[in-house]
Amino acid sequence: HATARLFLGQAEPDMITVQGTGIAQALATARELLARGGGAAAMTARRAIILVSDGEDFGGGWEEEARRCREADVAILAVPVGESRGGLLPLRDAAGRAAGFLKDDAGQVVLSRADPGVMEQLARITDGVVLPSGPAGLDVSRLRNEVVRLGERDLVERRIAAYAERFIWPLG
């Protein structure tokens, strides 16, 4: 958790060279990581992807990837964010000060518009849910209840014993 918080705290949108949202690629990566990281129990356990997005997609193919998630028994818990009417994308200079708003090649200000319909479809296809967030934030207790609803499973426990050779002490 500490490592994840460290990386998330340092994450910046400009760290990604190609801007824009590719929901299908994000879902495919998460689905593959869930399959590889779960071991033998991954095939029998119900898993979930918590997708926080405005739903605006530039890559396409998200419906097919949602079907793959459903076939892999992975539910999508969709958390839509943003405004349907659109919002400006602020820019910051190297010192972190406001430096205007993002513009396209024609010099027009870019508006990012939320598409909650995409998020609703993703949840519906995978038997997941939409967890709205607003000015008060995300209802964490509802998120927890939805994860519990998916089913709990026992995790494989591994113990590694590292013995230190100390026979020399009494021998001496």
Side-chain angles (χ1 to χ4, degrees), residues 22-32 34 46-55 61-80 115-132 138 142-143 146-147 149-150:
I23 292 176
Q25 187 174 2
L27 293 176
T29 301
R31 179 179 48 78
E32 290 168 9
L34 284 170
R46 184 84 199 273
R47 293 148 304 155
I49 297 170
I50 300 173
L51 179 65
V52 181
S53 174
D54 60 5
W62 58 265
E63 289 172 312
E64 181 60 33
E65 188 53 46
R67 287 186 196 90
R68 287 188 189 114
C69 287
R70 182 186 64 215
E71 290 166 5
D73 204 23
V74 175
I76 296 173
L77 306 180
V79 181
D115 189 351
V118 169
M119 301 296 277
E120 290 167 7
Q121 286 181 316
L122 285 167
R124 183 181 41 76
I125 290 171
T126 62
D127 192 30
V129 294
V130 176
L131 300 164
L138 176 65
R142 181 165 178 223
L143 172 63
E146 290 300 330
V147 171
R149 178 186 70 89
L150 293 173

Side-chain angles (χ1 to χ4, degrees), residues 105-116:
D105 293 335
Q108 300 296 317
V109 177
V110 176
L111 284 176
S112 175
R113 289 187 173 85
D115 189 351

Side-chain angles (χ1 to χ4, degrees), residues 8-46:
L8 287 173
Q10 295 176 352
E12 298 274 336
D14 60 353
M15 293 171 80
I16 301 171
T17 56
V18 178
Q19 298 293 320
T21 304
I23 292 176
Q25 187 174 2
L27 293 176
T29 301
R31 179 179 48 78
E32 290 168 9
L33 287 171
L34 284 170
R36 280 189 285 159
M43 298 306 143
T44 60
R46 184 84 199 273

Side-chain angles (χ1 to χ4, degrees), residues 82-97:
E83 303 271 338
S84 295
R85 66 177 186 262
L88 299 174
L89 302 171
L91 294 176
R92 303 255 181 227
D93 63 13
R97 295 182 302 256

